[in-house]
Amino acid sequence: MVNSPGTAGTDRLPTLCCSFCTKDKDSVAKMVAGPGVYICNECIDLCAQILAMEPQPEIRPRHELPDEELLASLKRAQASVPQIDAAMRDYVAILRPWH
C-alpha cells in the first residue's frame, strides 16, 4: 500500500485492535487511539458503567494536598514522560515525509 498525504501512517498497523478486549477495528463501531494504545466504544461504555457505580472522590485543589500526595502525583506524571516522548517521535516520523 502506498501512502498518500491523507493516509499517512495508516498502513503501519494492518489490524488495529482494542488494547483491552482485543476486538479488531472492524468488529466495533468506534476505536479511540492514545499514545500506543486503542480502546473500543464497547470498552469505553463498560468503563463508564463501572465508574458510575463508584462514589466520586472529593477533588481538592493541588495547593491543598499533603506533600506525600503531591510527590506521588509528581512520580506518576514523570513516569508518563517516556511514553509521551515516544508518541511525539512517532508523530514526527509519520508527518516528516509529507512536509
Side-chain angles (χ1 to χ4, degrees), residues 36-68:
V37 296
Y38 303 90
I39 186 168
C40 71
N41 61 294
E42 295 172 10
C43 287
I44 291 172
D45 291 343
L46 179 59
C47 290
Q49 291 173 17
I50 292 168
L51 292 173
M53 294 185 317
E54 295 181 14
Q56 296 299 311
E58 176 188 349
I59 298 176
R60 298 185 328 206
R62 285 190 179 129
H63 69 275
E64 292 180 8
L65 295 174
D67 290 346
E68 297 79 28

Side-chain angles (χ1 to χ4, degrees), residues 12-49:
R12 295 181 49 231
L13 297 172
T15 304
L16 296 178
C17 62
C18 178
S19 301
F20 295 85
C21 70
T22 68
K23 289 182 182 174
D24 69 76
K25 65 178 171 49
D26 297 323
S27 300
V28 295
K30 297 217 180 221
M31 189 77 67
V32 178
V37 296
Y38 303 90
I39 186 168
C40 71
N41 61 294
E42 295 172 10
C43 287
I44 291 172
D45 291 343
L46 179 59
C47 290
Q49 291 173 17

